[in-house]
Amino acid sequence: MLRICLATSNEHKLREVRAVGGEFGVVVEQCPAPKIEIQSESIEEIVLKSAMLAYFYLNKPVLVEDAGLYINALGGFPGPYSSYVYKTIGLNGVLKLLREIPDRRACFKSAVALVLGDVLLTATGEVCGYIANEPRGTKGFGFDPIFIPNGETRTFGEMELEEKNKYSHRAIAVRRVLQKLLSLRSY
Ligand code: IMP
């Protein structure tokens, strides 16, 4: 059985990634995330540097994920600054920025990097949809209560984990990286 650890302190991310790991027969454990994160406008670059640091620090197979919410009408803001924006102005602050703006389109993007010895695998995932008019639902985390994926009327905050994982940026990115890993191991 293949075991990898996810460098995160976010229990929600862990549960989501663990469920995707289960689809591939991969056991996902939690490992401490080093607190250093470089500043960059690219989540792909952030995750690559974080993964190298995490591997250096842990010396075992490690998966690192970084995500952000990109709002069309705000030129992609908050993007890589999503965590800071969530902590500072929060959901209501974002809703205020969008007040009277009819274009509610937004995408969540996720970048993952998996380091196993001298192998480095990366992938990205994206889900697009729109920002709700008010927060709905208590499930999930972060911006889940205000994000509605295309084809749905409910926010991620109103969905069970399995439903969110059908659409989510993170589930897509993790599936892609595990597919790459398993195709490597079949040679
Ligand atoms: P992180 O740096 O990958 O932890 O993500 C940055 C921020 O984006 C988080 O603090 C959340 O506010 C938000 N975020 C990332 N992924 C999700 C998600 O799946 N649902 C809701 N918010 C998310």
Side-chain angles (χ1 to χ4, degrees):
M1 176 88 60
L2 183 59
R3 286 175 182 274
I4 55 175
C5 80
L6 178 70
T8 186
S9 53
N10 182 328
E11 294 288 332
H12 296 275
K13 280 192 182 187
L14 179 68
R15 278 199 291 276
E16 291 177 17
V17 173
R18 191 169 267 163
V20 177
E23 297 169 16
F24 293 84
V26 172
V27 176
V28 178
E29 290 159 347
Q30 185 175 23
C31 50
K35 285 279 171 233
I36 313 152
E37 200 177 81
I38 66 150
Q39 203 173 4
S40 164
E41 286 175 20
S42 148
I43 56 169
E44 287 92 337
E45 191 184 344
I46 296 171
V47 86
L48 210 54
K49 301 278 162 56
S50 301
M52 285 172 187
L53 269 175
Y55 185 70
F56 181 74
Y57 175 78
L58 298 163
N59 200 25
K60 61 177 179 179
V62 62
L63 177 66
V64 178
E65 192 262 355
D66 198 50
L69 177 66
Y70 295 72
I71 300 175
N72 289 33
L74 304 180
F77 180 83
Y81 311 109
S82 295
S83 164
Y84 184 69
V85 167
Y86 179 75
K87 276 189 247 157
T88 51
I89 63 171
L91 301 182
N92 289 324
V94 171
L95 290 177
K96 238 185 229 171
L97 291 176
L98 289 178
R99 208 164 39 199
E100 317 218 339
I101 297 183
D103 179 4
R104 317 285 295 183
R105 288 173 301 157
C107 300
F108 268 124
K109 295 183 189 179
S110 163
V112 296
L114 177 60
V115 192
L116 304 109
D118 56 359
V119 177
L120 168 70
L121 300 171
T122 58
T124 57
E126 179 178 87
V127 56
C128 293
Y130 51 103
I131 300 295
N133 291 321
E134 70 290 306
R136 293 201 314 259
T138 52
K139 299 184 180 90
F141 71 100
F143 295 108
D144 280 343
I146 61 167
F147 182 81
I148 303 167
N150 284 334
E152 267 287 340
T153 51
R154 292 169 306 156
T155 66
F156 272 166
E158 296 175 294
M159 294 184 193
E160 298 300 335
L161 183 149
E162 294 72 23
E163 295 178 278
K164 178 179 172 186
N165 267 2
K166 277 191 218 156
Y167 298 102
S168 101
H169 50 311
R170 179 168 305 104
I172 294 169
V174 174
R175 276 187 201 110
R176 286 184 177 152
V177 85
L178 291 182
Q179 266 150 8
K180 284 188 184 180
L181 175 66
L182 296 181
S183 67
L184 265 186
R185 281 167 58 97
S186 62
Y187 286 108

